[in-house]
């Protein structure tokens, strides 16, 4: 298993997680059937989501070049939420923990990126090397992954440090192990902290 930091993957080809060769053993759910093109994502996943029938022979597939034009994805991104507005005053670790739990439920269980990203501020800081800063790049990438890979996303562990308002989540997307570590401030996720192995902490959560 490879360990990836989800928001680090922004620096990698967008097809890495979405490509059919990478997650071949998880058939698409019916609700992930192809939808009208309605996105500005520059690099679509190369998969044929509309051809789940195993009986379909390659010879019956449309010749290359007759699918969606290169540069246009075949999925519809969910609605983008309003970004998180930080409280003027600090909020308690208890309430931050409650918000973290709601974020995790939305992202990893409901697979609802619209709700999850409502906890992220506009000027979100990402310390991963090579990624763009701010809400928009994170939204564009994560919403694409969640739209195309929803059935393959499985929650594993989470952890919250009340002293520092830093939280971890560990989950899988297909065969990829992913760890995200976030810092909360006044009710919102403001920062994606640099990756550190977290397994040592989870035994005591
Ligand atoms: C995501 O959550 C929002 C807010 O609760 C809700 O309006 C929306 O329908 C949900 N989206 C999906 C796909 O369930
Ligand atoms: C929780 O955060 C505090 C304050 O930053 C830090 O001293 C402590 O080591 C952290 N605990 C763990 C288990 O990481």
């Amino acid at each position: 298993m490879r360990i990836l930091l989800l928001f680090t993957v922004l620096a990698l080809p967008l097809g890495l997680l979405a490509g059919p060769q990478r997650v071949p053993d998880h058939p698409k759910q019916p609700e992930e059937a192809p939808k009208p093109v309605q996105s500005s994502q520059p690099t679509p996943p190369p998969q044929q989501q509309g051809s789940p029938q195993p009986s379909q022979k390659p010879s019956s597939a449309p010749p290359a070049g007759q699918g969606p034009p290169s540069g246009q994805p075949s999925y519809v991104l969910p609605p983008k939420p309003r970004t998180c507005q930080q409280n003027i005053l600090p909020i308690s670790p208890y309430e931050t923990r409650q918000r973290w739990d709601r974020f995790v439920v939305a992202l990893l269980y409901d697979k609802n990126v619209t709700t999850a990203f409502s906890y992220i501020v506009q000027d979100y800081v990402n310390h991963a090397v090579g990624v763009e800063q701010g809400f928009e790049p994170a939204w564009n990438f994560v919403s694409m992954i969640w739209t195309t890979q929803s059935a393959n996303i499985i929650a594993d562990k989470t952890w919250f440090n009340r002293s520092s308002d830093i939280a971890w989540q560990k989950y899988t997307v297909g065969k990829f192990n992913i760890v995200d570590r976030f810092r909360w401030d006044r009710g919102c996720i403001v920062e994606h902290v640099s990756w550190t192995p977290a397994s040592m902490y989870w035994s005591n959560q």
Side-chain angles (χ1 to χ4, degrees):
M1 298 284 280
R2 295 179 58 184
I3 304 285
L4 291 179
L5 179 65
L6 178 59
F7 289 44
T8 301
V9 180
L10 281 166
L12 301 175
L14 288 184
L16 179 62
L17 289 174
Q21 298 87 354
R22 305 294 182 151
V23 285
D25 48 1
H26 295 279
K28 291 284 167 286
Q29 296 299 306
E31 63 270 23
E32 293 188 326
K35 296 163 186 170
V37 171
Q38 185 182 318
S39 167
S40 60
Q41 271 296 318
T43 307
Q47 66 221 59
Q48 290 280 337
Q49 291 189 20
S51 304
Q53 302 87 351
S55 62
Q56 185 173 22
K57 295 185 175 70
S59 60
S60 66
Q66 291 190 12
S70 176
Q72 292 188 24
S74 56
Y75 51 85
V76 178
L77 294 181
K80 185 164 60 177
R82 296 170 64 93
T83 55
C84 191
Q85 302 298 312
Q86 289 179 272
N87 214 33
I88 294 173
L89 298 174
I91 68 170
S92 71
Y94 175 78
E95 186 176 345
T96 303
R97 171 60 191 264
Q98 288 187 315
R99 294 187 185 203
W100 167 244
D101 288 345
R102 289 199 290 269
F103 171 86
V104 169
V105 167
L107 191 71
L108 298 184
Y109 292 89
D110 295 343
K111 318 288 177 66
N112 189 325
V113 281
T114 302
T115 300
F117 268 69
S118 70
Y119 292 98
I120 295 181
V121 293
Q122 182 67 44
D123 57 351
Y124 172 73
V125 174
N126 192 339
H127 289 283
V129 175
V131 303
E132 291 183 66
Q133 300 301 307
F135 178 97
E136 299 290 334
W139 166 260
N140 288 340
F141 179 72
V142 175
S143 63
M144 182 273 290
I145 293 295
W146 255 247
T147 300
T148 59
Q149 299 295 311
S150 174
N152 299 332
I153 296 166
I154 300 172
D156 185 352
K157 297 176 180 177
T158 68
W159 181 81
F160 180 78
N161 185 335
R162 292 170 180 268
S163 306
S164 57
D165 279 355
I166 286 178
W168 304 79
Q169 61 181 10
K170 182 169 181 284
Y171 56 101
T172 57
V173 180
K175 62 183 179 183
F176 293 95
N177 254 329
I178 296 174
V179 177
D180 290 316
R181 184 185 181 205
F182 299 102
R183 185 172 67 82
W184 289 74
D185 182 44
R186 289 176 287 137
C188 300
I189 292 173
V190 297
E191 188 173 3
H192 192 270
V193 184
S194 58
W195 182 83
T196 306
S199 56
M200 69 186 81
Y201 299 130
W202 287 329
S203 58
N204 295 322
Q205 69 178 311

